[in-house]
Amino acid sequence: MNKIEVKKEIQQRIEKLRSEISRLRNAYHVENAPSVTDDVYDSLSRELKSLLKEYPEFNNESSNENRVAGKALDKFVKVNHKSRMLSLNDVFSFEELEDWGNRMKKLLVTDKVNYFCEVKFDGLAVSLIYEDGKFFRGATRGDGFIGEDITENLKMIESIPLKLLPPIRQGEGRGGVPSYVEVRGEVLMSKKTLISLNKKNEKEGETIFANTRNAAAGSVRQLDPQLAKERHLDFSAYDVAEISGINIETHSDKHELLKQLGFPVDEHDAICKNLSEVEDFIKKFEKIRPDFKFGTDGIVISVDDLKLQETLGVVGKAPRYMAAFKYPAERATTTVKDVRVNVGRTGVLTPLAVFEPTLVAGSTVSKATLHNIEQIERLDLRIGDTVVIQKAGDVIPEVVEVLVKMRTGKEKKFNMPKVCPACDTKIEKKEGLVASFCPNPKCSAKNERYLDFFVSVFGIYELGPKILRRFKDEGLITDAGDIFTLQKEDIAPLERFGEKSAENIINEINLKKKISLSKFLWALGILHVGEETARDLAQEFGTLEKLISVARQDLASSEDKISEIENIGPAVSKSLHNYFSDTHNISFIEKLKKNGVSIEKVEKKKAGKFNGMTFVLTGALATMSRELAKEKILAHGGKVSGSVSKNTSYVVAGEEAGSKLTNAQKLGVKVLTEEEFLKML
Ligand code: IVH
């Protein structure tokens, strides 16, 4: 054989190895039916690797075997999601599930709804983009609009294909693989991996993760892909957000397609013809759940037909056509050793029950919230009592019941302190609220909590609570505003820091100085102004200055103007007025700006396409109820009226339209068929 022939043979062998490994990979991760033992797979992989080392010209970067850890990054780049990554509305009982079903039925014209049930994984949501069949980019969910590019880390997850397989209904791209695909799914760590990771970390004095979700999220957000590789993460796909050239009609279709493309999809899924079948599915999986490989917190139920999904649409940040059934919280018993009082970022005092570390819902907890003094009185909880605690998903554990029969008589009553445990200031009670709070703006506990909250909203992940405490103790910062003037030279000399970590911290701070108005408002920690409300305010006012000038007007006029905004009520407007009328807060904002925080202006939402138009609906529509049609018109800025006049822009006429149609014709108002109306929408 001459050299060329030898090479040809090698190339053939490489290609054979590649396709066989690819097939075995699919059998293992997608079909869940490994056809050979791990040794065989590893041995073939080793041969391929060594051949490619010798003949690098046959390397193909996008091949599945090519999971070489890239270089560590010094920051994550932000990416805009093409379509928003939504959340789910939760239901906690079969009753709530049925209410959800009934609400939908009222909005639809058909009674025949198929539901699709699947496992709700407890991991980290990601979006994966494939171009011409090759894994192009992966990102975290972030706030749903903007996530972080974690491509390099995701490439280290074996069960994420680097190259797609051609589906049976072929796409328009080369080799039948669709040219553009966006898949969504969950990055996971198995329960088994978590146990061994925690064992190892404990020995090495590293972080112990409370649950599989934290471990998965922490591993995928490492700047060094090598670390992500060592964590043995998994992936399960649950949605096709976009695919070019292939028409999909149902959610179950999406799952089938995902499998064909080479993604692992959980096998516990099913189409149910009605909610009673859904309930059976939920009960059946509840039995499997404790032994399931991954952490789960419920079942996701979707209306299967995508046309019906579109009709039902999205409200706020969750689709109306999907619901997450959450399994009941898990419970355990323990003995209360003490009751401590925690000061939150707004100064509210929360009593906590402290006990020996106890295992509940897959994680070890040693504290549970008692909410407030009224709750303690309601439970009649005493120190030394045996109590029932419960925990659901990521919710803070709580005490739900005292086992009074277990008392010995030595239990002690608890009283709320009269002064703040952190700063000794006299505790106050707000009118109409059960909570006690510390009114001192300089309270150290309150400020520490606020600092933690502030950096997490700004996304300055390098500054965890421990580091912040350290900087405070060293006198480097006194409040959140000081973070932005930190210098590398301040941090590097501190014990356990050094040049590299100082540089990472400073780089991240500089990167996060630019912030959207909605995040900035949220980060201020104004009472009642959470993430969603902050977004509504930003959208409405566009700039901080405008909001401040309205909020600082006298209470009555500021309340009037702010309460006019959709979704915003008097509690929020009052709180905004109070916050911005306080000069301390204004100086804090000035300080942030002076230190380099820059707030991005918000482009006002484009005016709705039905702005200034009035619609009248008559007759029965075939694809949606009148109620839903009305909602859609309103959402686009239009109005809906009950009677036709010369000011009516359009009359939408369904089946058996009555006098309104005749009136429209008399007045010369334009009449739309349902089809024309849908087109306009
Ligand atoms: S569907 C509409 N399906 O749950 C957006 N989500 O609470 C929801 N999740 O961010 C996507 N397993 O991280 C869907 N089988 C599943 C899921 C699932 C876990 C997570 C996902 C999402 C969150 C919403």
Side-chain angles (χ1 to χ4, degrees), residues 86-88 118-121 124-125 141 186 238 300 319 322:
L86 298 163
S87 312
L88 292 172
E118 63 192 288
V119 170
K120 184 167 192 299
F121 290 101
L124 178 80
R141 175 179 184 276
E186 203 88 346
Y238 51 66
V300 177
M322 268 186 170

Side-chain angles (χ1 to χ4, degrees), residues 587-653:
S587 330
F588 174 61
I589 292 170
E590 286 308 319
K591 178 170 175 177
L592 289 172
K593 287 203 220 157
K594 200 183 103 222
N595 293 351
V597 172
S598 84
I599 307 165
E600 287 163 12
K601 243 180 51 197
V602 181
E603 297 278 329
K604 271 242 171 192
K605 251 195 221 153
K606 284 216 188 78
K609 57 182 157 202
F610 293 165
N611 265 4
M613 298 182 192
T614 306
F615 288 75
V616 172
L617 301 166
T618 177
L621 300 179
T623 60
M624 65 180 91
S625 68
R626 288 237 288 263
E627 194 184 334
L628 193 59
K630 178 174 171 185
E631 201 182 282
K632 296 209 177 218
I633 294 169
L634 297 179
H636 289 295
K639 288 197 185 117
V640 177
S641 162
S643 58
V644 185
S645 75
K646 60 180 187 330
N647 296 328
T648 309
S649 321
Y650 296 104
V651 169
V652 182

Side-chain angles (χ1 to χ4, degrees), residues 540-541 550 557-570 573:
E540 182 65 26
F541 288 96
V550 174
S557 35
S558 100
E559 250 194 76
D560 257 10
K561 286 190 186 130
I562 300 176
S563 303
E564 247 176 35
I565 306 169
E566 214 180 319
N567 303 331
I568 293 192
S573 42

Side-chain angles (χ1 to χ4, degrees), residues 103-114:
R103 277 200 303 277
M104 286 195 301
K105 288 222 168 119
K106 263 198 209 146
L107 299 172
L108 296 171
V109 276
T110 166
D111 244 4
K112 176 95 208 63
V113 176
N114 277 341

